[in-house]
Amino acid sequence: MVDGVTLKFKDGGEIANYWRSCLRLPFNVITNWNTGEIYPYMWGEYKGLRLGIFEHSDGVFKYVIRGSLHVFWNNGGANDTLYTFQDFLKTLDKLEKELCVNAQSVRVHSVEFGLNVSTSLDASFVLTGLKSWGKDLFSLEKEDAEKKTIKAIKKDDYEVKIYDKGGCVANQQNQRLNNKKQRKQDKRNNKDKTRETRDYNKKLLRVEIRYKKMKKLNSVLKGTGLKVVTLADLTRIEVFQLVSSELLKVWSDAIYFNSLDEYARDSMTSQQLERFKYLLITETWNLGNAETEKEKAQIRSLRQNKKNTWWAMLLKFGGHNTQAEIRANMIGVLDQILGQKTAFEPHVLDQILDKQKTPVENEKLVRFTTLKIRGEKLYLENSIKEDSEVKTIGGGALKKSGTFYPRKADPKKHKCSQCGGDMSHKKPNAKYCSKRCSNKQSHENRKRRMKEAKTKEIPILENLLKKMERGRLNLLITYTHNRKRYSDLLEQKEIKASSDWIKRIKEVQVLKGGGRSKRVLTGTRAKKLIREITKRNN
């Protein structure tokens, strides 16, 4: 249950001496490359924990412990096993016995609670159905260190994660097998587990919630008289029960859709069917951010209405539901962790699971599969009781026996406007197959416009140069300064421009009486006119 922690405490240096002399832990230090100065901070690794020591000039030693208590309990092994409340209490005794760390004197700065739950489907496939939680969409993350895929929602004071735990453990084991130094160390410690091949549990899902600030955790405990400050405050079973409810809410309140779940499509009206398809789109649940309290209240109300509609449709038309099954498995695991039967808050998923156990006779159940073809969301209803032939359309597999409901008609094949290449992989409204073709076409269009302007403006310039002798031209001159455009209305006799100012001219309009525009010059023609007028006035 309790997994990652950040603990801080201080003393006069007794624990630092014990760690370095008695345990003989290999500590690392930070050294300045240029001066050779050794900074008063060192750290070391011990059974999944990272131990940090910071020595102050006044003789006070400050300590930081980061890492997984579950891994520490397993002597550096994986944290994919069952870790109960009683195991946590024994972990604190082990922490005091091996590292001389008293839970009463250690402050908790962040804590992570995690739950491993078995699923009937592969965990990596289950992750694809997560859409949103609260007002936020799940973001897909990949950590290169362990090469695991995570669905997460990150906030300033807490973080929610759901990921494939079996895949994570398998990647960690492969790294240990490839790490020769680690293998030698395991051999010295009479551990040869890295040479054994461990089975990859593909159906193990992990749900985590990490409180980055204890203020957020204490807000969950508000009204119960409980407060977490030190590590010993986590030894109360009531804290575990309240956090267990929060973990259960993370999964239960998430908007989840699995393409293998079943629904009574024939019982839906056409309006209900369209509404159901609309709720299947992930972007439907992205309601954006609000600034004022009024906007926030409107967004909360809108999302709650959508949730109520979603749960009502699942309860009325739903058959097999993966989310409800996983919730039931989580409740069973939480009862084992707490060591007692716990009455959690009822949820609509419990009713859906009860309905699933008593199916309606002769009710035809259908699966909805969301596909994305050429940038368009398409919906396919597949009967689960019939074997269908498969054909390929636009890169997606569609079954002939299913009913196909596109939001828009399947766009015809179109070609690139520049090179004529195939653009079946692009959106229907795309014009170019690549950025290169887009830039090339823009260059040709710009060149054509400049040529047309030159052909049109040269006769105007020649005519104005003849009339310039009279000295009666009224000009509206547009120029740039500090990346902004300005316009000045001047008479011909007022113009005495420097060469730098002439370079900034973009356009010159020759005005009639009343301020109406008569003729326009741009580019080099406008600059030439002003240059000739300046020469005449000088």
Side-chain angles (χ1 to χ4, degrees), residues 8 16 26 29 60 130 137 141 179 188 214-215 218 244 270 367 379 384 393 428 459 491 504 534:
K8 294 183 179 181
V29 296
V60 177
L130 287 169
L137 299 181
E141 297 183 0
N179 191 338
R188 287 196 298 267
M214 301 314 297
K215 182 179 179 181
N218 290 327
S244 298
S270 59
R367 293 174 182 165
Y379 303 95
I384 64 173
I393 298 180
E491 294 182 2
R504 301 174 187 173
T534 301

Side-chain angles (χ1 to χ4, degrees), residues 40 57 66 92 108 123 129 180 219 230 243 250 266 269 271 295 299 360 401 466 513 535:
S57 57
R66 291 186 175 92
L92 300 188
V108 182
K180 295 182 180 180
S219 67
T230 65
V243 176
V250 168
D266 292 342
T269 63
Q271 184 178 1
E295 292 176 348
I299 288 178
V360 180
S401 62
K466 294 178 182 179
K535 289 180 181 179

